[in-house]
């Protein structure tokens, strides 16, 4: 077997039974932001395109290059197609002219013309553009794994296919966090360092688990050649850069005791046959290493060559004459009618600031109001999530009807963002599902995530087998330390005494757990008081010991329970395991008591104070005037010590605050006060070693009254094509009548949204 690197994730695999072309990419991606590094434009693409098989791992623009496929790849190839839930990839390939498809069921080994093949497809709404995949190939002389930038949670099918001679995998960042967020420079660098460390460690864990003879870094990093983005490149091995290059990862592997790291540049080859290996370079090793040994000069020369292309692309962005508000309203509002789970998961308005090129008169501020299901002009209310984008980019997205803004706008890095609280994956899921079939799949995924496998024993605890975050197998990735469980796939932590997630404040991430009981001892599920355990028997559906099944949060669903609601027309509520000190009168998790709506309890789990007004957030004082105050000593000291565990809340007088948490960007529910959303939260920056620090930020400014919940949308019949149970809120007047709120004590929130430690990589030793 002879494998030629084509740059980035591109591979040309020559076997005894045919040639496989994988993820060829050469044209700039994401509004001219990303370029292949090193430059691969001089390869003989016409020759490489005469393959027998074509494999496109997913539809991200740095893997799926329609222009290259159209111009250089033979239409006679057989497409090895991942078994994705939506047909977008196949339809796009058919438009180009490909007609031969071999769909490989996920995780199942198949034979094709003498080749042994397997594709593992990832199908979560957060896996790439609604799907990512990895390919395993064997021709009898060698076996390779092309993982590219997929992150499979279940390695069993992959390991069963091996052992492997070569393993190609991503190690570098491929995300906008934290550089597009309006954070102080020190905070950006701290979060960047955590992100970099987590990415390298995760890749090393995959490499160690797979155990291939050769480990070849691929699928990144891209390079940024536009002057506006050029500083994002890592020229000197900057520990804060999220875009380390291949040489950094190879050094990391050596330092981790993992042998077999191998650099391949575009045109370089690796030949493997029955345990014998040989590497060759396209023009000598010295020239091949120049992009790494003299990187800044190399990239500046590269940028000079690409500048005319960048400028030409920029001139094509705008589509003058479009009424952005009208277009977005007619596009988004029908989708919002279908988005019951996503609307409940976001729970507030999202502000889109459209910045014009002709001065302030051309600016526009638009709100996507998820609770109300409408798109309208900004009315001055504080919005938890905000994006600022240049008008020409928005016009191009509308003109081309781009149904995945993550795969176009957000990965371009050509925007800025701010938010209150931690990461909410539902926001980005909506913007990557701007077509009915995509949105219905995401809604169906969330609706289906209340199922789980049998419980397992970890140490002295019995826990559900799958992590509520991204469904990682805790029998492989779970580690207990006393009463703390860590899922080492992404570093998420759980308190086994209560079932509470320590990485995310969203209670939908709670885990089902209990102590491993002695023989004959009664089982008491974590997180339930005696009264709640007694009442749980009244829930729709019974579970062992009367405990409702835990939900599965961002990435694999939010644990909402459609079909168990007293009012089937209302949006589903997330499952919320109650802590031991919760009030006895709280409603049973995953179930609504009759009369919830009549008592003034809003949809989505938000508590309110007064007639339709949000409950007060502890520690927030609104003095009606602009003021921002940063305790510099705490900020700098906390960030310097926090490393990968830093969590920061930054106040913004114009529109709220942002909280970011490195690799663990977890959902948080809105906290509001007297018609003004909490935009100055104090969140712990957990430090290790040493005591926990507080990064204290305050910001007081009138934010405008928060609108009372709008009249919900009309009922729709269930969507049967994908088995969805999502419906818009009920129009029943009684269900929406504001009334005096219950007198409830708001339990102080501990800092549960800590980012995971980068010291817990995603895979255990194997």
């Amino acid at each position: 077997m002879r494998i030629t690197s084509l740059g980035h994730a591109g591979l040309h695999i020559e076997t005894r039974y045919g040639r496989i072309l994988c993820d060829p990419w050469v044209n700039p991606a994401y509004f001219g932001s990303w370029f292949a590094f090193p430059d691969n434009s001089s390869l003989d693409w016409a020759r490489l395109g005469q393959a027998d098989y074509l494999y496109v791992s997913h539809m991200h623009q740095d893997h799926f290059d329609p222009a290259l496929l159209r111009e250089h790849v033979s239409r006679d190839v057989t497409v090895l197609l991942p078994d994705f839930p939506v047909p977008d990839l196949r339809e796009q390939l058919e438009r180009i002219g490909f007609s031969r498809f071999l769909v490989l069921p996920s995780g199942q080994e198949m034979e094709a013309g003498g080749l042994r093949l397997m594709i593992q497809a990832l199908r979560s709404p957060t896996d790439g553009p609604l799907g990512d995949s990895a390919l395993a190939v064997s021709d009898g002389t060698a076996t390779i794994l092309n993982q590219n930038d997929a992150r499979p949670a279940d390695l069993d099918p992959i390991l069963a296919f091996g052992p492997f001679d070569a393993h190609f995998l991503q190690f570098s960042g491929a995300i906008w966090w934290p550089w597009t967020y309006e954070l102080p420079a020190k905070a950006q660098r701290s979060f960047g360092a955590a992100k970099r460390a987590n990415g390298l460690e995760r890749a090393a864990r995959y490499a160690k688990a797979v155990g291939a003879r050769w480990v070849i870094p691929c699928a990144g990093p891209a390079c940024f050649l536009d002057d506006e983005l050029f500083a994002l490149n890592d020229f000197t091995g900057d520990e804060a850069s999220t875009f380390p290059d291949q040489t950094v990862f190879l050094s990391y592997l050596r330092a981790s005791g993992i042998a077999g790291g191998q650099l391949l540049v575009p045109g370089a080859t690796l030949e493997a046959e029955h345990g014998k290996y040989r590497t060759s370079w396209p023009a000598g090793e010295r020239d091949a290493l120049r992009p790494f040994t003299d990187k800044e000069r190399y990239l500046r020369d590269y940028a000079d060559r690409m500048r005319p292309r960048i400028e030409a692309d920029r001139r094509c962005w705008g589509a003058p004459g479009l009424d952005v508000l009208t277009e977005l309203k007619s596009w988004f509002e029908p989708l919002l009618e279908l988005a019951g789970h996503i609307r409940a998961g976001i729970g507030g308005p999202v502000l889109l600031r459209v910045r014009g090129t002709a001065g302030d008169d051309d600016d526009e501020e638009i709100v996507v109001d998820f609770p109300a299901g409408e798109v309208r002009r900004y009315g001055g209310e504080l919005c938890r999530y905000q994006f600022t984008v240049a008008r020409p980019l928005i016009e191009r997205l509308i003109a081309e009807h781009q149904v995945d803004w993550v795969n176009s706008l957000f990965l371009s890095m050509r925007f800025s963002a701010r938010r209150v609280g931690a990461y909410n994956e539902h926001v980005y899921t909506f913007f990557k599902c701007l077509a009915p079939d995509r949105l219905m799949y995401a809604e169906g995924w969330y609706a289906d995530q209340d199922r789980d496998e049998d419980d397992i024993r970890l140490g002295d605890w019995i826990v559900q087998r799958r992590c509520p975050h991204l469904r990682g197998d805790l029998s492989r990735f779970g580690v207990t330390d006393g009463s703390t469980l860590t899922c080492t796939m992404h570093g998420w932590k759980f308190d086994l005494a209560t079932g509470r997630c320590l990485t995310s404040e969203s209670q939908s991430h709670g885990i089902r757990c209990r102590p491993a009981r002695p023989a004959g001892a009664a089982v008491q599920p974590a997180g339930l008081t005696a009264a709640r355990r007694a009442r749980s028997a009244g829930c729709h559906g019974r579970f062992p010991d009367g405990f409702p099944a835990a939900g599965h949060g961002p990435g694999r669903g939010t644990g909402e329970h459609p079909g168990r609601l007293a009012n089937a027309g209302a949006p589903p509520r997330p499952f919320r395991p109650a802590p031991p000190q919760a009030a006895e009168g709280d409603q049973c998790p995953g179930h609504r008591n009759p009369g919830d709506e009549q008592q003034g309890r809003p949809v989505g789990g938000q508590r309110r104070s007064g007639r339709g007004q949000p409950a007060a957030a502890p520690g927030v004082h609104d003095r009606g005037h602009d003021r921002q105050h940063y305790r510099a000593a705490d900020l700098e000291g906390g960030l310097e010590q926090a490393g990968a565990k830093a969590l920061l809340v930054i106040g913004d007088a114009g529109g709220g605050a942002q909280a970011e948490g490195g690799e663990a960007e977890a959902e948080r529910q809105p906290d509001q006060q007297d018609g003004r959303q909490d935009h100055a939260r104090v969140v712990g920056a957990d430090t290790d070693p040493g005591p926990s620090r507080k990064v204290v930020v305050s910001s007081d400014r009138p934010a405008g009254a928060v609108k009372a919940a709008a009249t919900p949308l009309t009922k729709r019949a269930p969507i049967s094509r994908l088995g969805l149970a999502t419906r818009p809120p009920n129009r029943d007047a009684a269900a929406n009548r504001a009334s005096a709120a219950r007198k409830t004590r708001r339990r102080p929130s501990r800092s549960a949204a800590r980012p995971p430690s980068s010291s817990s990589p995603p895979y255990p030793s194997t």
Side-chain angles (χ1 to χ4, degrees), residues 350-528:
V350 174
L351 175 61
L352 177 63
R353 301 180 189 271
V354 181
R355 291 298 184 229
T357 57
D360 292 341
D361 293 340
D362 204 19
D363 291 351
E364 196 167 0
E365 294 182 327
I366 298 169
V367 165
V368 183
D369 191 333
F370 284 89
E374 66 178 1
V375 179
R376 54 178 171 75
R377 294 199 183 279
Y378 178 51
E381 69 273 36
L382 189 138
C383 296
R384 184 176 173 87
Y385 310 103
Q386 302 180 22
F387 300 98
T388 302
V389 188
R391 177 176 289 276
L393 297 180
I394 295 292
E395 290 174 344
R396 180 51 45 195
L397 294 170
I398 294 172
E400 296 181 353
H401 201 75
Q402 291 274 358
V403 299
D404 185 349
W405 285 18
V406 171
N407 193 24
S408 49
L409 171 63
F410 294 123
L411 283 170
S412 76
M413 317 283 284
R414 298 183 186 275
F415 73 101
S416 63
R418 59 180 65 155
R419 71 185 183 221
V420 177
Y423 175 77
N424 185 335
E425 75 141 27
H426 294 87
V427 175
Y428 291 104
T429 296
F430 177 78
F431 283 110
K432 71 164 62 172
C433 295
L434 299 176
D437 58 339
R438 298 172 68 86
L439 188 65
M440 287 189 293
Y441 174 72
E443 286 286 309
W445 178 275
Y446 290 134
D448 197 40
Q449 295 311 302
D450 57 353
R451 302 172 187 169
D452 193 30
E453 299 171 283
D454 293 338
D455 292 350
I456 61 172
R457 179 164 181 164
L458 290 177
D460 297 326
W461 297 89
I462 303 297
V463 301
Q464 66 187 59
R465 179 169 179 174
R466 296 285 173 177
C467 175
H469 174 220
L470 285 182
R471 300 283 289 164
D473 187 346
L474 293 174
S475 67
R476 179 184 294 274
F477 308 129
V479 176
T480 59
D481 181 8
S483 63
T484 300
L485 165 67
T486 300
C487 175
T488 59
M489 185 176 179
H490 293 95
W492 281 48
K493 296 180 182 295
F494 303 86
D495 179 9
L496 295 174
T498 64
R500 184 179 183 183
C501 178
L502 302 179
T503 303
S504 165
E505 277 192 351
S506 174
Q507 293 184 359
S508 64
H509 292 152
I511 194 168
R512 184 174 68 249
C513 57
R514 65 181 186 271
R517 55 176 175 161
V523 175
Q524 301 296 338
L528 291 182

Side-chain angles (χ1 to χ4, degrees), residues 28-29 54 78 103 148 208 327 353 397 437 441 477 506 527 603 612 622 654 692 702 711 761:
L54 171 66
T78 297
V103 180
N148 58 86
K208 188 172 184 180
E327 294 289 343
R353 301 180 189 271
L397 294 170
D437 58 339
Y441 174 72
F477 308 129
S506 174
V603 171
D622 193 335
S692 178
T711 302

